[in-house]
């Protein structure tokens, strides 16, 4: 496993960084060390754990410039890197506020008057987190923070495509005495991820359906729980009553933010036939106003395509759609500039479900739009997919939109907006179909995933129980 992995810079195309994954023995030893140190972490209780995480927050703030620089190198984008750091820091505060109440033990009477119930929890000792490249910091910490507060030690294996942020983050972690022995980010690729599953008690995986299947199977073989957060092909339904000005702005943001490289990007847009042309014209005008973040990282809104293999997939989807009759209303090409790959915001019409761009995850700033006549037709089209991550519905009345949302097979539906599940952390949701498996990563339920319930059932009187044997 110790084979060096070259890391490409998404803006230049040059491999200007390398990582060296740990050997299997090193990984196993590190996991044993984490497991040993977790005993103290659990013993210091929630107050001690909150204190350590607040120290981490300060340490990250002191490393902020280095962390930003590393994330910019990893992803080629500036404002989203800053946003990732802010979201990470605010997630520490949010979980520190929520955790004490969630970890309260309770005592209750039961249906049998002389039996009392004491409900307690025991954290899993060692949690493994495997994360993707599209939001390197955010997605490697989204499960990590609640797992730490629950009392677990955590080993994180971020993507080998965007690993530069690991060094400054580990530098910050190492300054916090109670954290440095129970939280480790390791470098490595798929092989390291696969090995990690052998040594942990629970695995949180974020990535593609194809890898998620392997992770799920390996977790089952090791008899550990797996929480899988996988791909999507999110639909938006725009009913004829929708406010076109607001809707086109929300669709544009929901489809092209982060260059469309988000699991919850809107990748299919179904618009009522009566407003179709008006909607397309307005969306095209707005899409054309966006600029590439090129030549400098400070310019424009659309960053480079982070993963090179992604550029090939996007071209393939575009060519497939055009060959089958799609009309390009703006954008439509994947271009190489100074070694990086770029895709302008693209609007496609005359699309249908025989095209990859309507059925497979494209992960690009592409908005394929189809008209519908009846609402039933729109719902059938939205549900005609193997995915069920999230969706959006737009209408003049919230109740009209919710009536449609109830019929969409997905875990989180934004009403009259897009991508709200990334901003509103309270909303618990499960992925439908192939978009994932396991409990909600959002909301209070997220932290509970890292605890095993334990019940003490105490007899409180000294009278023989009616169900005992007579002897
Ligand atoms: P990927 O599946 O290729 O890789 C994800 C991680 O898995 C990487 O760290 C990789 O090294 C590791 N890995 C690869 N093979 C492995 C194996 N056999 N065992 C264990 N780990 C292994 O995904 P990606 O291309 O990095 O990320 C993009 C995908 O992630 C898209 O499908 C996207 O929709 C999805 N995603 C989902 C969410 C969500 O919350 N549902 C969020 C972001 C991204």
């Amino acid at each position: 496993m110790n084979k060096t992995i070259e890391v490409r810079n998404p803006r230049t195309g040059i491999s200007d960084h390398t990582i060296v994954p740990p050997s299997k023995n090193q990984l196993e030893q590190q996991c044993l060390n984490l497991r040993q140190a977790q005993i103290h972490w659990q013993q210091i209780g929630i107050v001690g754990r909150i204190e350590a995480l607040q120290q981490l927050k300060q340490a990250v703030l002191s490393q902020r410039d280095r962390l930003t620089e590393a994330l910019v190198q990893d992803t080629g984008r500036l404002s989203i890197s800053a946003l990732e750091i802010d979201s990470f820091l605010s997630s520490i505060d949010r979980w520190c506020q929520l955790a004490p109440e969630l970890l309260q033990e309770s005592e209750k009477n039961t249906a049998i008057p002389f039996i009392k119930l004491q409900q307690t929890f025991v954290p899993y000792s060692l949690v493994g987190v495997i994360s993707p490249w599209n939001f390197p910091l955010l997605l490697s910490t989204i499960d990590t923070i609640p797992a730490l507060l629950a009392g677990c030690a955590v080993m994180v294996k971020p993507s080998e495509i965007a690993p530069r942020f690991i060094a400054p983050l580990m530098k910050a972690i190492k300054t916090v005495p109670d954290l440095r022995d129970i939280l480790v980010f390791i470098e490595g690729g798929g092989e390291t991820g696969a090995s990690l599953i052998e040594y942990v008690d629970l695995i949180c995986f974020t990535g593609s359906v194809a890898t998620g299947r392997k992770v799920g199977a390996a977790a089952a073989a090791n008899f550990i729980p797996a929480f899988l957060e996988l791909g999507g092909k999110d639909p938006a339904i725009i009913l004829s009553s929708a406010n076109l000005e607001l809707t086109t702005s929300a669709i544009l943001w929901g489809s092209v933010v982060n260059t469309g490289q988000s699991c919850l990007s809107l990748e299919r847009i179904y618009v009522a036939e009566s407003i179709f042309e008006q909607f397309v014209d307005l969306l095209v005008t707005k899409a054309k106003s966006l600029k590439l973040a090129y030549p400098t990282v400070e310019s424009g809104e659309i960053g480079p395509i982070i993963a090179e293999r992604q550029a090939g997939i996007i071209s393939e989807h575009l060519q497939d759609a055009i060959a089958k009759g799609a009309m390009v209303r703006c954008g439509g090409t994947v271009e190489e500039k100074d070694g990086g790959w770029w895709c302008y915001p693209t609007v496609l019409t005359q699309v249908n479900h025989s095209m990859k761009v309507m059925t497979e995850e494209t992960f690009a700033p592409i908005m394929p739009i189809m008209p519908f006549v009846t609402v039933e037709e729109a719902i059938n089209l939205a549900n005609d997919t193997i995915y069920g991550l999230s969706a959006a519905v737009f209408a003049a009345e919230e109740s009209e939109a919710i009536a449609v949302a109830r019929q969409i097979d997905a875990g989180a539906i934004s009403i009259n907006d897009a991508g709200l599940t990334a901003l509103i952390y309270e909303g618990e949701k499960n992925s439908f179909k192939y978009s994932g498996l396991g409990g909600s990563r959002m909301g209070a339920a997220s932290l509970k995933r890292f605890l095993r319930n334990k019940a003490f059932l105490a007899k409180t009187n000294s009278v023989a129980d009616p169900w005992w044997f007579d002897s």
Side-chain angles (χ1 to χ4, degrees):
M1 220 162 31
N2 273 111
K3 209 167 149 243
T4 301
I5 298 174
E6 302 262 325
V7 186
R8 177 183 168 275
N9 183 316
R11 294 187 77 88
T12 63
I14 295 168
S15 296
D16 56 9
H17 186 78
T18 54
I19 55 172
V20 184
S23 69
K24 213 164 164 14
N25 285 346
Q26 286 167 333
L27 185 66
E28 185 176 12
Q29 188 55 52
Q30 269 185 307
C31 287
L32 281 174
N33 296 346
L34 285 171
R35 212 176 264 291
Q36 193 57 39
Q38 183 270 338
I39 297 167
H40 170 70
W41 182 242
Q42 190 179 336
Q43 278 167 352
I44 64 174
I46 187 62
V47 174
R49 298 199 285 272
I50 287 175
E51 208 177 298
L53 281 165
Q54 288 300 328
Q55 287 169 19
L56 175 65
K57 198 179 143 191
Q58 293 312 315
V60 168
L61 283 170
S62 68
Q63 284 291 318
R64 188 173 181 129
D65 289 349
R66 279 202 59 206
L67 193 55
T68 308
E69 198 184 315
L71 284 168
V72 170
Q73 297 261 311
D74 274 336
T75 62
R77 61 200 186 198
L78 182 59
S79 57
I80 298 223
S81 297
L83 192 77
E84 279 203 76
I85 298 174
D86 289 339
S87 303
F88 166 52
L89 295 174
S90 61
S91 82
I92 293 180
D93 282 340
R94 190 175 63 252
W95 279 116
C96 285
Q97 273 171 17
L98 283 172
E101 199 185 322
L102 295 172
L103 294 172
Q104 283 283 328
E105 297 192 350
S106 63
E107 227 177 65
K108 285 185 202 148
N109 293 327
T110 67
I112 300 173
F114 53 85
I115 304 288
K116 202 177 62 186
L117 164 66
Q118 194 179 335
Q119 190 67 64
T120 69
F121 321 95
V122 181
Y124 287 92
S125 295
L126 180 55
V127 165
V129 172
I130 301 175
S131 54
W133 49 264
N134 56 331
F135 290 96
L137 177 66
L138 204 63
L139 292 172
S140 60
T141 52
I142 189 168
D143 297 310
T144 301
I145 301 301
L148 288 171
L149 284 166
C152 314
V154 185
M155 179 171 275
V156 189
K157 208 289 297 164
S159 169
E160 66 277 26
I161 292 171
R164 295 171 183 83
F165 77 100
I166 296 174
L169 185 59
M170 276 308 293
K171 195 165 177 199
I173 292 167
K174 282 183 179 155
T175 64
V176 183
D178 278 327
L179 263 188
R180 60 180 162 228
D181 296 329
I182 54 99
L183 174 61
V184 174
F185 282 66
I186 48 160
E187 297 177 335
E191 214 182 317
T192 307
S195 293
L196 180 62
I197 300 166
E198 292 176 35
Y199 305 124
V200 295
D201 304 314
L202 179 154
I203 190 83
C204 291
F205 172 81
T206 308
S208 63
V209 173
T211 313
R213 273 177 183 274
K214 292 184 198 163
V215 170
N222 286 300
F223 215 68
I224 60 166
F227 294 96
L228 308 178
E229 300 282 345
L230 310 178
K233 187 77 187 169
D234 284 4
I237 294 181
I238 294 107
L239 300 175
S240 58
S241 62
N243 175 327
L244 283 189
E245 189 57 49
L246 292 183
T247 303
T248 44
S249 292
I251 293 285
L252 184 65
W253 183 85
S255 300
V256 317
V257 68
N258 196 32
T259 318
Q261 301 170 123
S262 308
C263 54
L264 44 71
S265 290
L266 292 173
E267 294 212 354
R268 301 177 285 144
I269 299 150
Y270 304 103
V271 180
E273 197 180 36
S274 57
I275 56 165
F276 187 81
E277 280 309 328
Q278 229 184 322
F279 177 91
V280 172
D281 287 347
L282 198 50
L283 186 63
V284 167
T285 306
K286 291 182 180 182
K288 280 182 175 168
S289 72
L290 298 184
K291 305 269 179 307
L292 299 186
Y294 176 89
T296 66
V297 77
E298 289 84 10
S299 42
E301 299 86 4
I302 309 295
I305 298 160
I306 303 176
E308 192 170 26
R309 68 167 184 250
Q310 218 43 51
I313 294 172
I314 300 168
S315 293
E316 186 194 322
H317 285 199
L318 281 171
Q319 281 161 23
D320 172 72
I322 291 163
K324 288 174 180 160
M327 184 184 279
V328 178
R329 306 288 283 254
C330 66
T333 54
V334 178
E335 291 173 21
E336 198 238 283
K337 289 179 188 291
D338 298 340
W341 291 101
W342 302 81
C343 181
Y344 284 95
T346 297
V347 174
L348 301 175
T349 55
Q350 295 183 24
V351 291
N352 59 56
H353 281 209
S354 75
M355 300 172 183
K356 290 180 181 181
V357 82
M358 292 302 280
T359 53
E360 296 178 17
E361 199 175 32
T362 312
F363 238 49
I366 296 182
M367 295 159 279
I369 316 179
M370 254 180 101
F372 65 83
V373 178
T374 65
V375 173
E376 192 188 9
E377 185 191 351
I379 293 164
N380 287 339
L381 285 165
N383 287 337
D384 179 26
T385 173
I386 61 162
Y387 297 106
L389 194 62
S390 37
V393 182
F394 295 81
E397 298 296 327
E398 188 186 305
S399 57
E400 192 189 2
I402 288 198
V404 172
R406 285 187 193 281
Q407 298 175 71
I408 297 179
D409 300 331
I413 320 256
S414 300
I415 305 294
N416 286 328
D417 209 335
L420 290 182
T421 178
L423 306 171
I424 309 299
Y425 298 97
E426 293 91 337
E428 295 185 2
K429 62 164 193 113
N430 294 110
S431 300
F432 286 41
K433 304 180 186 171
Y434 285 102
S435 284
L437 207 59
S440 177
R441 130 185 301 180
M442 309 302 275
S446 173
L447 186 142
K448 301 266 185 187
R449 295 175 300 163
F450 305 108
L451 300 168
R452 288 159 292 180
N453 290 317
K454 192 168 186 174
F456 298 127
L457 303 153
K459 177 175 163 61
T460 57
N461 66 6
S462 51
V463 178
D465 286 352
W467 53 80
W468 286 358
F469 297 116
D470 290 329
S471 58

